[in-house]
Amino acid sequence: MMQLVNNYLGLCKLKVVALIVFTAMVGMFLATSPPGMVPWDVLLWGNLGIGMAASAAAAINHVLDAREDAKMARTHRRPLPQGQVTGTQALIFAVALGAVSMVILVVFINVLTATLTFISLLGYAVVYTMYLKRATPQNIVIGGAAGAAPPILGWAALTNTIDPHALLLFLIVFIWTPPHFWALAIHRRDEYAKVDIPMLPVTHGIPFTRLQILLYTIMLLMVSVLPFATRMSGYFYLAGALLLGAGFLWYAIQLMQGKDVAMKTFGYSIWYLMAIFAILLVDHYLPLLQ
């Protein structure tokens, strides 16, 4: 029984979902004005619904990518390639998970959050996975919009609005996504080429991809100061954003110099996003500590 549960949990990409839920939760807390506590029902049901929807999208991604996953070293141990779960079982699981998430969000949160979450689910599971991923080397740029939505979802869960400040959080994640994923794509270039997925290092080469990572990292550094520029956050956040951005830029420059730091860049990018949202959260509540 436990093995069966683990097989289905393996479809959910729990590490990715945890990051999604974290950024959504930070969106909820930043939406409190003045800084305060998010109501427990919103915190519980909102994050549960968003997390379940993200898990459903991940499971659909597993189903659609099963053939390619079986051929790639990074993914061949996933439940479908290993035969631990069938495609039909995984699809039923995904649909059920997605349906329950929508019910939770509509009943316990609000229709706006449910609608935006459903659009994000379709954006990742259908538009990105079924079409963009195999159609253009800019797949992760366009498809990144779905992955950047959680802060908006969290904000909407509390306020039932789409706030301009939430859009700034969306923009940070949106610009962060290409250099984050392209660093991994450089490391896994041969595997993507083997399964005919037109990732940027495959279609345009590694030197061009390194340049794009550098340019996007510079854009990310500029975008990351917008919460301070718009008085959404204070000097504590500004200092943290600049330090984190400088670290990301250092890795991007190392890549441009031809050094083998693609996976280190990828790893740092994950910590970067977690840290910058954590600093946003701390900065939001600093007035209560003074």
Side-chain angles (χ1 to χ4, degrees), residues 146-191:
I152 297 179
L153 306 181
W155 203 294
L158 185 70
T159 66
N160 200 20
T161 62
I162 300 176
D163 190 272
H165 285 155
L167 295 177
L168 289 184
L169 303 181
F170 167 90
L171 187 59
I172 289 173
V173 183
F174 181 73
I175 299 298
W176 164 87
T177 302
H180 158 72
F181 202 85
W182 282 335
L184 175 64
I186 286 176
H187 183 72
R188 299 290 185 178
R189 178 191 179 279
D190 292 342
E191 293 186 30

Side-chain angles (χ1 to χ4, degrees), residues 3-288:
Q3 183 59 49
L4 182 64
V5 171
N6 288 334
N7 290 340
Y8 280 99
L9 287 178
L11 297 172
C12 296
K13 299 185 179 180
L14 292 181
K15 291 182 180 179
V16 176
V17 170
L19 187 57
I20 287 171
V21 170
F22 176 66
T23 57
M25 183 178 66
V26 172
M28 292 178 185
F29 279 99
L30 293 181
T32 61
S33 183
M37 180 60 192
V38 176
W40 285 107
D41 58 339
V42 175
L43 193 63
L44 173 63
W45 295 113
N47 285 307
L48 180 62
I50 293 167
M52 290 179 70
S55 298
I60 294 172
N61 175 266
H62 275 259
V63 174
L64 296 175
D65 281 352
R67 185 173 299 177
E68 290 83 356
D69 285 348
K71 300 175 182 178
M72 298 177 67
R74 183 173 68 93
T75 56
H76 77 280
R77 293 188 181 276
R78 287 177 172 176
L80 266 72
Q82 290 293 309
Q84 297 164 338
V85 178
T86 68
T88 301
Q89 290 171 331
L91 190 58
I92 292 173
F93 172 71
V95 171
L97 205 58
V100 172
S101 74
M102 292 301 108
V103 171
I104 288 174
L105 293 174
V106 169
V107 173
F108 296 105
I109 304 300
N110 55 61
V111 174
L112 175 62
T113 304
T115 301
L116 294 175
T117 303
F118 183 67
I119 292 172
S120 299
L121 190 160
L122 290 181
Y124 176 74
V126 179
V127 178
Y128 169 70
T129 304
M130 287 189 68
Y131 176 68
L132 291 174
K133 190 172 184 177
R134 295 163 178 81
T136 171
Q138 293 298 312
N139 46 25
I140 200 64
V141 178
I142 306 168
I152 297 179
L153 306 181
W155 203 294
L158 185 70
T159 66
N160 200 20
T161 62
I162 300 176
D163 190 272
H165 285 155
L167 295 177
L168 289 184
L169 303 181
F170 167 90
L171 187 59
I172 289 173
V173 183
F174 181 73
I175 299 298
W176 164 87
T177 302
H180 158 72
F181 202 85
W182 282 335
L184 175 64
I186 286 176
H187 183 72
R188 299 290 185 178
R189 178 191 179 279
D190 292 342
E191 293 186 30
Y192 283 115
K194 183 170 62 175
V195 294
D196 295 322
I197 295 178
M199 298 304 297
L200 195 64
V202 176
T203 61
H204 289 69
I206 290 177
F208 181 80
T209 306
R210 288 170 175 162
L211 175 61
Q212 294 303 303
I213 289 174
L214 177 62
L215 294 177
Y216 267 91
T217 303
I218 293 171
M219 281 195 291
L220 179 61
L221 184 57
M222 293 187 291
V223 166
S224 70
V225 303
L226 290 179
F228 173 79
T230 58
R231 299 185 180 180
M232 175 185 174
S233 300
Y235 286 100
F236 179 81
Y237 167 76
L238 177 63
L242 291 175
L243 285 172
L244 288 169
F248 209 150
L249 187 59
W250 184 82
Y251 276 108
I253 292 172
Q254 296 288 300
L255 273 175
M256 275 298 297
Q257 292 175 342
K259 296 182 179 178
D260 185 18
V261 293
M263 285 307 292
K264 289 182 179 179
T265 304
F266 175 74
Y268 179 83
S269 69
I270 297 173
W271 286 107
Y272 170 91
L273 192 65
M274 294 173 59
I276 202 166
F277 271 78
I279 291 170
L280 273 165
L281 189 59
V282 172
D283 183 273
H284 185 64
Y285 286 93
L286 272 182
L288 299 181

